[in-house]
């Protein structure tokens, strides 16, 4: 019904009580901003630009790719899957029963493959789990950072469902599924008879130790429920020193993940044969996950992964190709820039 | 070209009070009271007995009007309902309410706050608008008017208290509070003058005349015992019809529109009138004429809704995939995952009830993937549009220095629609023209006088001049021809240039309103020295005497102002005054003029006795007066359309015929209205013989009377002696022809809808180049008075159909590609043409015509033409522009309504979406701002969807890797910031500042505008292209990141990447990718864009640092993530570089290829500008500018083209005849 309104308004202004013309009032000041005339750079994608951009990308990417590949190649990695072999022969049909039985002996000795190349220290020891959904939402949510940080907040168990409190209502520290399912296989390495020391200090982020896990927070009521998850914690050590837990609490992004177990701080020579005595405690049989032990050196780029290098090389190569392709295009179908004959009215003189 | 005059056929004989004798006092056959039965004629009004209207069924609505949408109680529910009728809002409401439940993956505040902001803002806007409407209603309702309160006393009452049957007294210059029946006026014979500007936009006065029987009711006291009854039609929107009977003193009299005073028209030149209210409030005709104001949404926005639907479907699809996946995994996979404690069930996680869990998960997923349909899109678009509107308001090139009005975007949600307009529907009066007639030239005794060029000529010369210089090579032959022919085109050009020089030279010449004539031979009494002084004297007397105007002396200055029924008549009187023949008084029987023969002499007052006035009507196209001068000689003075007058000349009256015809054609070409003037001296005996016949005819009873009068008039208006011709310029608004020309070149179609007569409309069509010589005019009109068939309606309709079909045939058979057709249709015919069965044929005819002019259309028809036909029929965007209340309907109905501010009140402006102060600003509004806004919004929306798809899908992929559990790889804060801070400012700067080409180039290359109507930047091809780009980016970002950070250590210290590291790295890639993408999209970088784009990326890193420094309780695993974990890792930076460039390479390839092989117009122009070719090769630049236009058949340029063609043809003929001669 605006129109009605409109005409009514009209009559009001017509009868003289409307607004008088604002003669030269509010003269807008000229400014390049309001007139949308700010100085601007208006780059144009000229053939020169196109070709040089692609060439430049190629020139930058290929060396990066080569460097990444070289770094990845320098890394020596020994991987050993042990979950399938570290089961007594009589239990292979019921691995779950084996692993869940607290009475059986879980120890197992493995001889790793021969060290292929000299491995300079530090050599990182990882355990790798497959098909373990540490990124499941129910799992990721099930923790309480406040509780981990300060003793005064140990009653803070919100979000820790379903591993919150014991039956009698006492808070579990650390609460939640993540801590409850702590990985608890252990490895002892030896070359011949000589044991290799595994340094388990400094495997977590420093900030985690200093600020996230309290120095005064001691484990409490941990693994005391009817369901026992993973490993137990030393109730006398504060959480900030329980680095296995700190590493474990950094939930992985993918169902296949490695986590640092420790560092071997001595060089290994090519041809060394390493034996590992391990405790196969952790249950991955229920969900048919794999367990692997990984020994790896690291380069400036990290661990062994050719993907980055290959991707860089591929993209770099593609850009070289594109640079060539565009050169050909510009040679075969040259178009003078700003040639008015390409304007639509010149291309299609009959009109639109 | 006949004068456009009388408002309505019916008013013809209700004349000036001096000549009331023509109206018979008896009720004649054809004025029998109407039978008035049946539906539609049920209204019964008891005059002066408003008490009788308290009860049903006579309890008509009060005069209170309300135009508000809401009241205090209904506001909240109604406004909220309105808000949530938008699908998007409903969806956001759903997700927001879900976020209150535990299924939400995000915090509730982050969902509810933006929704509340958006809805709150819109509702506040609604409330403001409604409040303004309410205040306006209040103002109108509480206006006061004098009402009969009984016992012959009148007291002031508010308008809203007036009831049907009330007798009101309206004073001079007041508005009528309701539709009134005129009872009597301050004039003895009950006439009054009414200005109906608010109804039809015309400023000239109309005469209304009361019935004879009510004339005695001319004082307050006489209403003491007055009672009567009116039976009439029910409320309806027809402004020009009224059917009713007036029962007074036991007699029944027929009423016609001549007695009805309509609400919102104004009483002029009449001290007071008495009237009785027939229709009040919403029953009144002006209210009935109102159309509901629709809320307008732009085409892009509507299309965006469709995109939203597509995305919504997609969202539901992936949510379903996700929830089914979750259900399956929960049932089969997770029971074995002891670390999740599957025995401890919750409703979202219950392996025994996978369907239920899946359902809950569906809700989670809907919220999680909500990033595909971002609420921030709506917020950003709002912000961008408001800023765009601010730029429109600030544009000093659209500011009228005289009035100080700037352009104003009153609604900001149609900015981009301005760039897609296909058809412009324009009002005439006040929009194209100033409604001011200027006496410009005349031809007397075959001598042309007057040197001032018309605006059309000036503009044409300029155009031709630039055209010639631009096309010298191309039209070299034409050019030669022009130079050869001394008296052809070239010389007239020279003349015009002289005229221009003259105008430029004396810009400050003292102007008299209505008189722009300049020629020293005539003014200051110099005419007496001319060889044909005698003829000039007659000519000036015709101007001063042959009219029906009345003179009003200004009490202070003594100067006369003239109230004429048409502005050109007033212009004649002003001209006559300037020449020394001042019309000063009109009495019952005489006209007095003061004649001054030279500047030094004192004026002589002369009296001319008026014997007869032979009125103008559209059939006769002429008017005459028969006078007896002081010497007793009887003369007949006649003015009329040239064709009519030239047919009626006596043998010896044709001395000047040839010259005059030549001049008339010149004037016509120049876009002026012409009239021919003639006179005749009558013998006493001849006159008295004729007069007896005339009187007899006057007293004829029945419907033959008019025909008889016409026939008799015809017999005397013969053997005339031609005196000369006048040329009056219906002053166009500044810059109108140029603007129309540009708009036509931009490919816009222009329809003119006017309340004026056909002749007037055609004249204006000529002067603004919508029509030109050589254009074939198709006039559709039905003269229903000629149809004798019983079923007039049906016959009229058939006749309309026949005319349409004939015209169609004509258009089809036309072979000449340069032939142009113009369709001219009058309001009555339009009614038939708009009926459902005819409108499609009519439309296809109209589309084939280069210009369309609709005359005598009512406001409602204006709205209907717009809606029913152009908008729905062609499916194209329409823009309506007008300035008066009569245009409100069409302004509201069109896709875009533009109001002209500052001339005729504010009603059109109030209803409009944009207001500008002059028509010429429309060019800049459309071609510059429209073009920019369209491209900006289109690109912005596409980009917005791109970035949210690129971002949202990574969440989905990751979720698939978490067993569809609804876990997001990003921290909540990242996701919240993504749309709010990290990517919002660049996209807003794209929407506000992007310019493909500068404003000058937009204006120089109007053809660029066609990118909008052809929708090159928002078609599905492009939209899906962008979506595909988003999809590609999401895949690259996710899978490259996942592979790079797979499981090995990501830095030298051996640490592996956890979820926070992967998520943050991925998010970094996204921020870089989308911001780099917008850099590739933009073509115009000011410091603002640089700041926003690079600032956004910098902000991300700053945020990461700041976030990393928060307490770990807030930041969780992101604690010190950049400074400790990612920053020192080369892999993080390497991944960012690789992913970002990989994402953008395809787009780069695409735009490089497009520019290389298939550049769009703006690409080429950008390049020309970039290499400054326009400066180096100005010739090329000029040539391209002249070619950069749509093929158009209207406007100057088309006129020039037609002229060139015509000249070429002539040349060819000449050449061929020459060759024949040489052969022989």
């Amino acid at each position: 019904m605006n129109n009605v309104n409109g005409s009514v308004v009209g009559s009001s202004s017509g009868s003289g009580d409307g607004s008088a013309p604002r003669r030269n009032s509010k003269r807008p000041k000229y400014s390049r901003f309001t007139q949308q005339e700010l100085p601007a750079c208006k780059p144009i994608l000229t053939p020169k630009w196109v070709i040089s951009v692609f060439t430049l990308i190629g020139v930058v990417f290929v060396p990066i790719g080569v460097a990444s590949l070289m770094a990845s190649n320098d890394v020596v990695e020994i991987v050993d899957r042990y979950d399938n072999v570290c089961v007594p022969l009589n239990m292979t049909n019921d691995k779950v029963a084996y692993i869940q039985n607290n009475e059986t002996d879980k120890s197992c000795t493995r001889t790793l493959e021969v060290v292929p190349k000299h491995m300079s220290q530090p050599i990182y020891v990882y355990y790798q789990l497959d098909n373990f959904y540490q990124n499941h939402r129910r799992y990721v949510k099930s923790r309480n950072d406040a509780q981990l940080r300060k003793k005064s907040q140990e009653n803070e168990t919100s979000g820790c469902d379903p591993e919150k409190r014991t039956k009698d209502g006492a808070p579990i520290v650390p609460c939640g599924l993540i801590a409850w399912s702590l990985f608890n296989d252990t490895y002892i390495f030896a070359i011949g008879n000589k044991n290799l020391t595994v340094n388990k200090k400094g495997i977590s982020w420093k900030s985690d130790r200093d600020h996230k896990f309290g120095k005064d927070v001691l484990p409490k009521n941990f693994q005391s429920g009817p369901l026992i998850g993973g490993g137990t914690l030393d109730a006398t050590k504060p959480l900030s020193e329980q680095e296995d837990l700190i590493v474990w609490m950094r939930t992985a992004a993918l169902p296949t993940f490695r986590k640092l177990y420790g560092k071997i701080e001595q060089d290994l020579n090519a041809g060394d044969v390493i034996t590992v005595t391990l405790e196969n405690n952790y249950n991955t049989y229920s969900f048919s996950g794999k367990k692997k032990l990984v020994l790896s050196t690291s380069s400036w780029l990290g661990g062994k992964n050719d993907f980055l290098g290959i991707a860089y090389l591929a993209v770099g190569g593609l850009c070289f190709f594109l640079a060539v392709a565009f050169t050909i295009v510009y040679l075969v179908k040259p178009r003078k820039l700003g040639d008015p004959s390409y304007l639509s009215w010149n291309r299609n003189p009959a009109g639109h | 070209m006949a004068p456009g005059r009388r408002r309505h056929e019916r008013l013809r004989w209700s004349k000036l009070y001096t000549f009331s004798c023509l109206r018979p006092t008896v009720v004649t056959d054809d004025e029998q009271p109407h039978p008035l039965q049946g539906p539609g004629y049920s209204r019964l009004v008891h005059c002066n007995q408003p008490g009788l209207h308290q009860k049903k069924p006579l309890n008509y609505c009060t005069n209170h009007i309300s135009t508000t949408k809401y009241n205090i109680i209904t506001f909240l529910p109604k406004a909220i309902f309105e808000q949530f009728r938008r699908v998007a809002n409903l969806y956001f409401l759903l997700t927001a309410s879900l976020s209150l439940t535990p299924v939400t993956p995000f915090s509730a505040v982050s969902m509810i706050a933006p929704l509340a902001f958006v809805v709150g803002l819109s509702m506040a806007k609604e409330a403001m608008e409604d409040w303004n409407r309410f205040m306006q209603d209040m103002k109108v309702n509480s206006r006061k008017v004098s009402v009969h309160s009984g016992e012959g006393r009148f007291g002031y009452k508010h308008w809203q208290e007036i009831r049907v049957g009330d007798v009101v007294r309206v004073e001079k210059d007041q508005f009528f509070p309701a539709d009134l029946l005129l009872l009597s006026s301050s004039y003895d014979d009950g006439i009054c003058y009414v200005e109906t500007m608010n109804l039809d936009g015309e400023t000239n006065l109309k005469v209304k005349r009361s019935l004879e029987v009510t004339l005695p009711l001319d004082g307050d006291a006489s209403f003491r015992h007055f009672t009567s009854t009116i039976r009439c039609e029910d409320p309806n929107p027809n402004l020009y019809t009224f059917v009713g009977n007036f029962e007074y003193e036991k007699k029944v009299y027929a009423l016609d529109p001549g007695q009805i005073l309509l609400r919102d028209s104004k009483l002029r030149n009449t001290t007071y009138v008495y009237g009785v209210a027939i229709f009040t409030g919403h029953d009144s005709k002006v209210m009935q004429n109102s159309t509901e104001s629709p809320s307008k949404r732009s085409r892009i926005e509507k299309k965006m809704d469709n995109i939203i639907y597509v995305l919504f479907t997609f969202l539901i699809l992936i949510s379903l995939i996700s929830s089914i996946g979750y259900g399956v995994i929960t049932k089969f996979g997770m029971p074995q995952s002891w670390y999740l404690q599957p025995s401890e069930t919750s409703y979202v996680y219950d392996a025994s009830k996978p369907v239920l869990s899946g359902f809950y998960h569906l809700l989670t997923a809907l919220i999680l993937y909500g990033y595909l349909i971002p609420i921030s899109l709506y917020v950003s678009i709002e912000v961008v549009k408001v800023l765009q509107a601010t730029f429109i308001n600030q544009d000093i090139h659209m500011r009228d220095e005289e009035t100080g009005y700037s352009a104003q975007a009153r609604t900001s949600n149609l900015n981009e629609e301005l760039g897609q307009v296909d058809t412009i529907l324009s009002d005439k009066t006040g929009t194209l023209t100033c409604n001011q007639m200027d006496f410009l030239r005349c031809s007397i005794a075959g001598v042309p006088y007057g040197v001032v060029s018309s605006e059309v000529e000036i503009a044409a010369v300029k155009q031709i001049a630039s055209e010639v210089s631009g096309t010298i090579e191309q039209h070299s032959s034409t050019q030669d021809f022009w130079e050869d022919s001394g008296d052809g085109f070239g010389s007239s050009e020279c003349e015009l240039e002289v005229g221009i020089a003259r105008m430029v030279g004396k810009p400050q010449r003292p102007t008299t309103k209505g008189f722009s004539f300049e020629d020293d031979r005539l003014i200051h009494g110099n005419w007496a020295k001319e060889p044909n002084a005698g003829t000039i004297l007659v000519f000036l007397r015709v101007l001063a005497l042959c009219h029906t105007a009345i003179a009003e002396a200004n009490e202070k200055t003594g100067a006369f102002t003239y109230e004429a029924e048409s502005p050109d008549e007033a212009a004649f009187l002003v001209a006559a005054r300037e020449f020394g023949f001042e019309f000063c008084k009109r009495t019952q029987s005489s006209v007095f003029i003061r004649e001054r023969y030279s500047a030094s002499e004192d004026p002589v007052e002369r009296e001319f006795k008026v014997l007869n006035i032979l009125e103008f009507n559209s059939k006769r196209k002429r008017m005459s007066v028969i006078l007896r001068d002081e010497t007793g000689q009887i003369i007949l003075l006649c003015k009329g359309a040239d064709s009519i007058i030239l047919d009626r000349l006596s043998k010896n009256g044709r001395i000047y015929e040839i010259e005059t015809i030549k001049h008339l054609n010149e004037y016509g070409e120049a876009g002026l209205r012409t009239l021919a003037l003639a006179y005749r001296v009558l013998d006493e005996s001849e006159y008295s013989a004729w007069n007896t016949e005339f009187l007899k005819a006057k007293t004829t009873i029945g419907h033959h009377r008019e025909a008889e009068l016409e026939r008799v008039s015809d017999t005397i208006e013969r053997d005339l002696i031609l005196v000369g011709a006048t040329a009056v310029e219906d002053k166009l608004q500044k810059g109108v022809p140029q603007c129309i020309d540009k708009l036509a070149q931009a490919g816009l179609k222009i329809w003119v809808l006017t309340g004026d007569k056909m002749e007037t409309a055609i004249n204006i069509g000529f002067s603004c180049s919508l029509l030109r010589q050589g254009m074939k005019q198709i006039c559709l009109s039905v003269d229903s008075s000629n149809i004798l068939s019983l079923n007039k309606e049906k016959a009229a309709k058939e006749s309309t159909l026949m005319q349409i079909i004939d015209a169609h045939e004509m258009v089809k058979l036309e072979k000449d590609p340069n032939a142009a057709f113009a369709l001219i249709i009058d309001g009555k015919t339009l009614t038939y043409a708009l009926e459902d069965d005819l409108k499609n044929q009519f439309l296809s005819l109209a589309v084939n015509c280069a210009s369309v002019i609709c005359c005598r259309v009512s406001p409602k028809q204006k709205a209907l033409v717009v809606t029913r036909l152009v908008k729905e029929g062609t499916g194209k965007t329409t823009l309506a522009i007008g300035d008066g209340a009569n245009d409100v309907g069409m302004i509201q109905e069109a896709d875009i309504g533009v109001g002209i501010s500052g001339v005729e009140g504010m009603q059109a402006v109030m209803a409009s979406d944009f207001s500008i102060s002059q028509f010429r600003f429309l060019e800049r509004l459309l071609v510059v701002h429209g073009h920019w806004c369209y491209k900006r919004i289109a690109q912005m929306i596409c980009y917005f969807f791109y970035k949210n798809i690129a971002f949202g899908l990574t969440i989905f992929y990751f979720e698939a890797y978490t067993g569809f559990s609804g876990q997001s790889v990003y921290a909540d804060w990242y996701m919240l910031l993504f749309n709010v801070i990290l990517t919002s400012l660049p996209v807003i700067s794209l929407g506000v500042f992007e310019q493909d080409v500068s404003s000058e180039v937009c204006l120089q290359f109007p053809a660029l505008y066609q990118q909008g109507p052809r929708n090159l930047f928002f078609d599905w091809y492009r939209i899906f292209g962008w979506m595909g780009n988003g999809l590609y980016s999401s895949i690259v970002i996710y899978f490259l990141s996942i592979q790079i950070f797979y499981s090995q250590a990501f830095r030298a210290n051996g640490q592996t990447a956890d979820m926070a590291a992967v998520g943050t790295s991925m998010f970094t890639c996204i921020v870089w990718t989308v911001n780099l993408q917008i850099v590739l999209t933009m073509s115009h970088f000011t410091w603002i864009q640089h700041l926003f784009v690079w600032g956004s990326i910098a902000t991300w890193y700053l945020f990461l640092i700041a976030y990393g420094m928060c307490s770990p309780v807030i930041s969780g695993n992101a604690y010190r993530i950049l400074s400790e974990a990612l920053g020192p890792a080369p892999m993080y930076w390497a991944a960012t570089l690789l992913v970002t460039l990989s994402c953008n390479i395809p787009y780069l390839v695409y735009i490089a290829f497009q520019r290389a092989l298939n550049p769009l117009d703006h690409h080429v122009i950008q390049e020309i500008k970039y290499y400054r070719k326009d400066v180096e090769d100005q010739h090329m630049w000029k040539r391209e500018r002249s070619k950069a236009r749509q093929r158009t058949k209207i406007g100057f340029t088309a006129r020039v083209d037609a002229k060139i063609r015509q000249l070429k043809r002539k040349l060819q003929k000449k050449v061929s005849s020459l060759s024949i001669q040489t052969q022989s």
Side-chain angles (χ1 to χ4, degrees), chain A residues 2-6 8 35-36 41 126 133 137-138 163 207 250 283 298 303 312 335 337-338 344 346-347, chain B residues 136 140 287 290 338-341 344 888 892 907 936 995 1049 1052 1054 1058 1085 1124 1134 1159 1161 1167 1173:
Chain A
N2 240 4
N3 186 12
V4 173
N5 163 42
V8 167
Q35 300 311 311
Q36 308 189 49
C41 96
Y126 302 93
Y133 283 87
R137 183 157 159 251
R138 181 177 164 92
E163 194 61 24
S207 63
R250 283 266 177 184
N283 177 10
S298 79
Y312 260 105
R335 180 174 78 83
L337 286 177
S344 60
N346 291 329
R347 281 200 274 184
Chain B
Q136 282 153 7
V140 170
M287 291 295 166
S290 68
W338 57 267
Y339 53 89
L340 293 174
Q341 291 199 0
E344 291 280 330
V888 166
Q892 288 182 336
Q907 53 272 59
R936 289 167 177 175
Q995 295 178 14
D1058 65 337
F1085 295 89
E1124 188 182 19
D1161 292 344
E1167 287 161 4
K1173 281 197 178 176

Side-chain angles (χ1 to χ4, degrees), chain B residues 349-454:
Chain B
Y349 183 72
D350 189 346
S352 60
K353 294 175 191 155
V355 176
L356 192 67
S357 297
F359 172 73
Y360 282 119
H361 183 76
L362 181 65
L363 303 180
T364 309
L366 284 176
I367 303 174
L368 187 65
Y369 307 141
Y371 281 93
L372 291 177
I373 306 172
I375 194 165
S376 60
L377 172 62
Y378 289 89
V379 182
S380 306
I381 288 182
E382 286 291 312
V383 170
V384 162
K385 286 186 173 177
V386 168
L387 290 174
Q388 286 178 343
T390 321
F391 278 136
I392 293 175
N393 297 347
Q394 297 273 341
D395 194 335
I396 50 172
H397 297 292
M398 293 202 291
R399 190 185 135 88
D400 188 1
E401 287 300 325
E402 275 166 41
T403 59
Y405 282 114
S406 302
Q408 214 193 345
R410 295 172 41 81
T411 50
S412 55
N413 48 355
L414 290 174
N415 296 341
E416 70 276 16
E417 194 82 340
L418 288 175
Q420 292 195 281
V421 176
D422 181 74
T423 311
I424 295 175
L425 300 126
S426 173
D427 174 42
K428 185 196 70 89
T429 315
T431 306
L432 299 176
T433 67
C434 310
N435 200 27
Q436 177 197 330
M437 301 295 165
D438 264 8
F439 189 88
L440 207 63
R441 294 198 213 162
C442 58
S443 154
I444 310 174
V447 183
Y449 293 96
V451 290
V452 178
S453 298
S454 73

Side-chain angles (χ1 to χ4, degrees), chain B residues 746-920:
Chain B
L748 293 160
K749 297 180 192 71
I750 299 163
W751 291 36
V752 175
L753 312 178
T754 169
D756 269 350
K757 297 196 77 81
M758 197 177 259
E759 292 83 0
T760 323
I762 290 175
N763 270 320
I764 289 304
F766 274 102
S767 52
C768 45
S769 294
L770 287 171
L771 302 177
R772 60 179 151 80
Q773 303 292 340
M775 217 176 200
K776 297 196 175 67
Q777 293 180 16
I778 302 169
C779 290
L780 299 185
S781 68
V782 177
D783 194 351
S784 56
S785 59
N786 282 356
I787 298 168
L788 295 172
S789 139
L790 285 173
N791 195 339
K792 276 193 176 186
E793 291 279 312
K794 203 178 159 196
K797 201 173 157 184
E798 266 164 23
S799 142
T800 310
L801 178 64
M802 285 310 294
Q803 291 185 39
I804 291 177
I805 290 173
D806 286 351
H808 245 303
E809 284 300 306
M810 193 166 113
V811 175
K812 254 188 225 155
L813 291 176
E814 182 61 52
K815 294 256 165 48
D816 182 1
N818 292 319
F821 293 90
L823 180 68
I824 299 140
I825 184 165
D826 77 358
K828 210 169 218 168
T829 320
L830 199 59
T831 345
Y832 302 118
L834 286 182
E835 279 174 22
D836 284 341
D837 41 343
L838 290 193
K839 68 178 182 186
N840 287 334
Q841 278 163 304
F842 171 64
L843 182 66
S844 60
L845 173 65
V847 167
N848 282 323
C849 292
S851 44
V852 180
I853 298 176
C854 305
C855 333
R856 301 199 64 65
V857 286
S858 67
K860 190 123 193 171
Q861 271 182 328
K862 281 186 178 182
L864 288 184
V865 171
V866 178
T867 39
R868 274 209 203 156
L869 220 65
V870 191
K871 209 167 94 181
E872 289 167 13
T874 64
K876 302 263 177 65
T877 309
T878 53
L879 178 144
I881 178 165
D883 68 323
N886 56 324
D887 306 315
V888 166
M890 105 177 156
I891 283 176
Q892 288 182 336
E893 207 57 63
D895 294 308
I896 307 169
V898 178
I900 303 270
S901 56
V903 193
E904 270 194 42
M906 295 296 282
Q907 53 272 59
V909 171
M910 296 303 283
S912 68
D913 305 304
F914 296 89
S915 74
I916 49 180
S917 48
Q918 299 222 350
F919 183 82
R920 66 190 157 107

Side-chain angles (χ1 to χ4, degrees), chain A residues 79-245:
Chain A
V79 183
D80 183 58
R81 182 179 174 190
Y82 63 88
D83 61 299
N84 46 351
V85 287
C86 284
V87 183
L89 282 174
N90 56 346
M91 301 291 275
T92 43
N93 291 330
D94 196 357
K95 291 174 185 159
V96 177
Y98 157 75
I99 202 85
Q100 280 177 344
N101 187 347
N102 285 333
E103 307 303 314
T104 51
D105 177 22
K106 303 284 170 50
S107 63
C108 165
T109 306
R110 299 273 302 148
T111 307
L112 300 185
E113 63 179 278
V114 180
V115 175
K117 260 199 301 192
H118 177 81
M119 293 171 86
S120 50
Q121 63 108 0
I123 296 154
Y124 297 99
V125 180
Y126 302 93
Y127 55 90
Q128 175 172 340
L129 296 180
D130 271 20
N131 204 22
F132 187 100
Y133 283 87
Q134 232 199 352
N135 57 11
H136 196 282
R137 183 157 159 251
R138 181 177 164 92
Y139 189 84
V140 173
K141 270 184 10 179
S142 189
R143 67 188 286 162
N144 189 309
D145 284 334
Q147 189 203 38
L148 299 173
R149 215 168 147 235
K150 281 199 182 110
K151 190 176 170 61
S152 54
Q153 296 194 324
E154 65 179 26
N155 278 322
E156 275 292 331
T157 56
S158 64
C160 281
D161 284 322
E163 194 61 24
K164 241 175 166 173
R165 282 160 195 274
T166 57
K167 262 190 188 157
D168 42 344
I172 297 170
V173 182
C175 68
L177 285 175
I178 311 180
W180 175 75
S181 59
L182 177 65
F183 185 75
N184 58 352
D185 286 4
T186 57
Y187 314 106
I188 297 165
F189 299 91
I191 299 177
N193 296 329
K194 211 177 102 205
N195 269 8
L196 293 172
T197 18
V198 175
N199 182 3
K200 305 213 22 149
K201 291 275 170 217
I203 52 172
S204 60
W205 296 106
K206 188 170 181 304
S207 63
D208 280 7
R209 294 196 296 274
D210 293 352
H211 302 283
K212 233 169 175 170
F213 291 83
K215 293 189 171 54
D216 55 347
V217 186
L218 296 175
K220 217 181 192 178
N221 305 324
F222 192 65
Q223 301 289 18
S224 61
L227 271 174
I228 305 292
T232 53
L233 291 173
D234 183 349
T236 62
K237 266 164 87 183
L239 292 186
S240 62
E241 290 171 27
Q242 314 253 14
E243 291 207 31
D244 279 331
L245 177 75

